[in-house]
């Protein structure tokens, strides 16, 4: 039975998500918090985290990386409000999928269950790689393609014969380049 | 006295009036005292009374008229002071300070060039009076008296020119301040609009989510109002997405042409409309360029959405410090009364005026379709 935590700074959206997810039989509990600090200090066990890209004091992608560094990391779904948000930086940050906020409720529940069972939900990844192509250095493209396909950073380092730390650094640089700009 | 000063608001020109008042009153009092203490002329008491009356009159006049004193009044002031110096009989006169105080208002109110001209003319007037009252060239042989004469002649020039420069710097400072205020106000307005937009859009997403959570196949979910509501919400969120992108545009460099080939080109491609962007290019870092972008993208969107055009061409031309941007489409054209009323057209016109330009709408090539022309002075760099 899945425990879900929604992290979004808009109260109306939190209320909507919680209402909808609590009605579903497959979801044991659903809570919502407004900022990254509260999310990181969330004590109860967590199966899936639903994160907005933009938080008022924080960054959705960085929060995703923080969650994934834990020992029993939850599955992370990025919740995208704008069509301009790219799925590629989410994938690089370790997220298991991206869903748009325009997604109807049944599909949202499906996506949550998919990532809870270990799957990935990336619909527009190929498009995003193509769209962000011009921004990325050519040397980084093979690394990104492999990561987008699901390889782990260690596997990438082995194949490319470079240091895993170098892979990490390159990935961070690309994420910073591609991530959506903050509101202010 | 302090009441008088307090009533003057803090605008820079009124500070000059305050300076004038202080100088004029001091000069009048000094003149009257000197006349009373020492015997200067045969009619000291009369002159003292006259100078005090004149002081009161000119101070009252300056406060009433403030900056609206025309050159004529200032000239009359200078002439009156020079006459008083003549009446006292010598260029070293109790009325010299009065003469200096006549220079304050013209030097700080006129443009720098004219101010300096006025001061030079007044100083020449003083020299003339000095010569007329008889300069004893013999007594000028000694250095102190020669130095005193030179100082008396040059002091009005120094004071006048100094004040003229100070006043001009202050004027320039004010203009810069006002401009940066306007720019920051506009940036603040844009930020607020973005936040409002963002918040409203999130609420719509929440509503969409709640409606789609109605059990599929149930009577409630299938009801027509619910289906229509879902369609409206979807349309609204996609429109807000587009306009939010517009509000956020040009945050990080890039050029006008690149921006036009971004979202507007995407929408054109989706609608099957051919979009051509040619001509000069501007760096979006220039605030004028973002306004031009908004006007042009609005025009392009109108052509796609309302004019049912199949081809839209945007061209930028720059020559002689002027930028001319045109958007031509082959759609069905704007009908006479519809064109000037719609909200989109009004916002385009407002933006054009904001950057000091002009927007005109006319028929397209060969009489059909529409041409929107934006002309504005542009002295910035091209990309």
């Amino acid at each position: 039975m899945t425990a879900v935590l929604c992290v979004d700074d808009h109260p109306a959206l939190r209320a909507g998500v919680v209402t909808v997810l609590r009605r579903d039989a497959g979801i044991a509990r659903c809570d919502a918090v407004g900022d990254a600090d509260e999310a990181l200090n969330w004590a109860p066990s967590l199966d899936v985290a639903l994160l907005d890209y933009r938080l008022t004091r924080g960054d959705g992608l960085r929060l995703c990386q923080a969650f994934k560094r834990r020992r029993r990391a939850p599955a992370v779904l990025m919740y995208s409000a704008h069509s301009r948000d790219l799925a590629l930086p989410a994938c690089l940050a370790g997220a298991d999928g991206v869903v748009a906020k325009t997604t109807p409720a049944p599909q949202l529940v499906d996506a949550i269950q998919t990532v809870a069972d270990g799957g990935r939900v990336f619909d527009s990844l190929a498009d995003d790689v193509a769209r962000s192509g011009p921004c990325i250095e050519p040397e980084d493209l093979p690394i990104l393609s492999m990561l987008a396909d699901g390889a782990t950073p260690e596997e990438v380092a082995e194949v490319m014969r470079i240091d895993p730390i170098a892979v990490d650094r390159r990935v961070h640089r690309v994420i910073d380049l591609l991530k959506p700009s903050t509101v202010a | 006295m302090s009441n008088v000063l307090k009533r003057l608001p803090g605008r820079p020109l009124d500070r000059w009036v305050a300076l004038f008042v202080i100088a004029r009153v001091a000069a009048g009092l000094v003149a009257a005292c000197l006349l009373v203490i020492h015997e200067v002329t045969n009619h000291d008491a009369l002159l003292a009374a006259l100078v005090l009356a004149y002081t009161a009159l000119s101070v009252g006049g300056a406060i009433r008229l403030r900056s609206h004193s025309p050159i004529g009044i200032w000239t009359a002031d200078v002439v009156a002071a020079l006459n008083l110096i003549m009446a006292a009989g010598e260029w070293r006169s109790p009325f010299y300070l009065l003469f200096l105080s006549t220079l304050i208002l013209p030097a700080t109110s006129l443009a720098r060039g004219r101010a300096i001209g006025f001061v030079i003319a007044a100083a020449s007037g003083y020299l003339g009076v000095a010569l007329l009252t008889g300069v004893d060239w013999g007594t000028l042989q000694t250095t102190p008296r020669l130095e005193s004469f030179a100082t008396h002649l040059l002091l009005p020039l120094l004071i006048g020119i100094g004040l003229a420069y100070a006043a001009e710097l202050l004027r320039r400072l004010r203009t810069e301040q006002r401009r940066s205020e306007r720019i920051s106000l506009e940036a603040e307005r844009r930020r607020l609009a973005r936040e409002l937009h963002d918040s409203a859009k999130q609420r719509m997403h929440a509503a969409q989510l709640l409606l789609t959570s109605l059990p599929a196949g149930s009577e409630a979910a299938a009801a027509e109002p619910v289906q229509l509501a879902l369609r409206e919400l979807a349309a609204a969120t996609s429109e807000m997405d587009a306009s939010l992108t517009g509000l956020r545009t040009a945050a990080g460099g890039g050029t006008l042409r690149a921006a036009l080939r971004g979202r507007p080109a995407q929408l054109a491609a989706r609608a099957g409309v051919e979009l051509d962007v040619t001509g000069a290019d501007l760096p979006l870092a220039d605030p004028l360029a973002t306004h031009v972008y908004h006007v042009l993208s609005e025009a392009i969107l109108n052509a796609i959405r309302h004019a049912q055009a199949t081809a839209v061409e945007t061209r930028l031309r720059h020559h002689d410090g002027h930028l001319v941007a045109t958007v031509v489409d082959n759609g069905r054209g704007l009908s006479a009364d519809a064109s000037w009323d719609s909200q989109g057209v009004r916002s385009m016109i407002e933006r054009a005026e904001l950057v000091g330009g002009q927007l005109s709408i006319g028929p397209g090539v060969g009489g059909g379709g529409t041409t929107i022309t934006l002309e504005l002075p542009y002295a910035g760099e091209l990309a």
Side-chain angles (χ1 to χ4, degrees):
Chain A
M1 296 296 264
T2 327
V4 181
L5 178 69
C6 171
V7 185
D8 191 304
D9 51 2
H10 202 284
L13 205 82
R14 289 200 297 270
V17 167
V18 162
T19 308
V20 164
L21 292 185
R22 279 186 185 162
R23 284 166 57 136
D24 189 86
I27 295 186
R29 55 176 301 170
C30 176
D31 302 282
V33 294
D35 66 63
D37 294 326
E38 264 189 82
L40 285 172
N41 296 333
W42 187 253
S45 71
L46 192 55
D47 297 311
V48 179
L50 185 66
L51 309 179
D52 191 337
Y53 272 84
R54 294 169 189 77
L55 300 168
T56 24
R57 274 168 315 134
D59 180 357
L61 290 178
R62 232 173 259 162
L63 184 57
C64 170
Q65 287 175 311
F67 268 128
K68 284 297 182 181
R69 276 194 284 261
R70 292 185 173 178
R71 209 163 334 136
R72 272 174 307 151
V76 174
L77 260 183
M78 298 305 297
Y79 207 17
S80 144
H82 301 287
S83 55
R84 279 164 69 247
D85 291 339
L86 297 175
L88 185 57
C91 172
L92 298 175
D96 298 284
V98 174
V99 278
K101 286 189 180 172
T102 51
T103 310
Q107 271 98 298
L108 177 63
V109 173
D110 277 342
I112 291 181
Q113 289 297 9
T114 307
V115 299
D117 294 332
R120 305 169 90 219
V121 181
F122 281 111
D123 292 321
S124 62
L125 202 51
D127 283 337
D128 285 346
V129 175
R131 258 201 293 174
S132 40
C135 312
I136 304 178
E137 315 270 325
E139 310 93 55
D140 292 330
L141 271 176
I143 301 180
L144 297 179
S145 316
M146 278 190 266
L147 287 171
D149 262 344
T152 65
E154 293 75 33
E155 290 169 6
V156 173
E158 213 184 293
V159 169
M160 300 282 297
R161 285 181 234 230
I162 47 179
D163 224 351
I165 302 181
V167 173
D168 259 336
R169 225 183 322 128
R170 289 224 191 137
V171 165
H172 277 268
R173 209 181 52 207
V174 174
I175 292 182
D176 274 333
L177 195 67
L178 293 177
K179 76 177 174 199
S181 50
T182 46
V183 176
Chain B
M1 182 64 190
S2 55
N3 287 344
V4 163
L5 285 179
K6 276 200 192 100
R7 258 192 279 133
L8 300 172
R11 286 178 308 153
L13 206 52
D14 295 316
R15 294 208 194 102
W16 297 127
V17 171
L19 179 64
F20 169 77
V21 167
I22 294 174
R24 177 56 58 94
V25 167
L29 287 177
V30 161
C33 288
L34 284 177
L35 283 171
V36 164
I37 293 175
H38 294 294
E39 208 185 295
V40 178
T41 70
N42 299 331
H43 350 275
D44 276 349
L46 180 64
L47 273 180
L50 189 65
V51 83
L52 284 175
Y54 184 63
T55 303
L57 182 72
S58 49
V59 160
I63 295 180
R64 282 294 300 285
L65 296 172
R66 299 252 176 97
S67 52
H68 304 305
S69 322
I71 293 191
I73 295 191
W74 292 324
T75 312
D77 199 24
V78 171
V79 167
L82 290 177
N83 276 329
L84 281 171
I85 294 182
M86 281 244 272
E90 210 205 320
W91 53 271
R92 283 172 310 155
S93 167
F95 303 110
Y96 185 67
L97 278 180
L98 198 74
F99 166 64
L100 285 183
S101 68
T102 63
L103 299 175
I104 294 179
L105 284 182
T108 55
S109 313
L110 295 170
R112 193 183 69 196
R114 302 180 99 198
I116 294 181
F118 187 98
V119 164
I120 291 178
S124 317
Y126 176 73
L127 178 62
V129 164
L131 294 174
L132 278 175
T133 56
V135 177
D136 196 345
W137 298 108
T139 60
L140 273 188
Q141 296 297 325
T142 61
T143 309
R145 308 197 66 163
L146 190 60
E147 183 263 337
S148 176
F149 188 57
T151 307
H152 271 68
L153 279 182
L154 292 176
L155 203 51
L157 289 174
L158 276 175
I159 291 182
I161 295 179
L163 283 175
Y165 267 89
E168 164 153 339
L169 278 174
L170 260 177
R171 275 193 290 264
R172 249 192 267 161
L173 185 65
R174 284 250 132 189
T175 328
E176 277 309 311
Q177 268 180 340
R178 248 177 295 174
R179 209 174 68 118
S180 71
E181 258 174 34
R182 225 182 25 224
I183 291 182
S184 73
L185 264 176
E186 210 203 291
E188 180 67 14
R189 242 196 359 235
R190 254 190 289 175
R191 188 187 67 84
L192 284 173
R194 257 189 261 133
E195 280 185 14
L196 220 79
H197 241 65
D198 249 335
S199 171
K201 192 163 179 285
Q202 306 282 22
R203 286 188 189 272
M204 280 194 215
H205 285 310
Q208 273 179 304
L209 199 62
L210 290 165
L211 279 177
T212 55
S213 76
L214 290 169
S218 73
E219 210 184 299
E224 197 177 347
V226 172
Q227 291 302 316
L228 284 176
L230 275 171
R231 271 226 299 272
E232 286 304 315
L233 281 171
T237 49
S238 107
E239 278 183 22
M240 293 188 109
D241 208 14
S243 75
L244 257 175
T245 310
L247 280 172
R248 281 208 183 90
T249 303
T255 70
L256 180 60
R257 275 225 311 256
L260 284 173
R261 288 192 182 128
R263 181 133 201 115
Q266 264 178 22
L267 289 167
R270 228 177 275 171
V273 174
E274 198 184 300
L275 176 64
D276 220 6
V277 180
T278 58
D281 202 0
L282 311 174
L284 278 175
D286 190 315
L288 283 185
T290 53
H291 286 292
V292 175
Y293 166 77
H294 284 297
V295 174
L296 293 181
S297 67
E298 177 83 34
I300 295 175
L301 257 59
N302 279 341
I304 297 175
R305 283 206 197 116
H306 304 303
Q308 295 164 349
T310 58
V312 179
E313 190 193 316
T314 303
R315 202 161 151 235
L316 283 107
R317 272 164 302 168
H318 180 263
H319 64 97
D320 246 8
H322 276 266
L323 188 72
V324 179
T326 48
V327 177
V328 186
D329 72 66
N330 64 356
R332 58 182 181 167
L334 290 164
S335 64
D337 18 43
S339 58
W340 301 100
D341 277 4
S342 78
Q343 176 58 30
V345 175
R346 231 198 318 245
S347 83
M348 278 197 282
I349 296 180
E350 272 172 18
R351 269 193 204 271
E353 282 170 3
L354 189 68
V355 295
Q358 254 189 321
L359 190 83
S360 49
I361 303 184
V365 175
T370 318
T371 303
I372 297 186
T373 312
L374 171 65
E375 275 181 65
L376 61 141
Y378 184 76
E381 310 160 1
L382 299 175

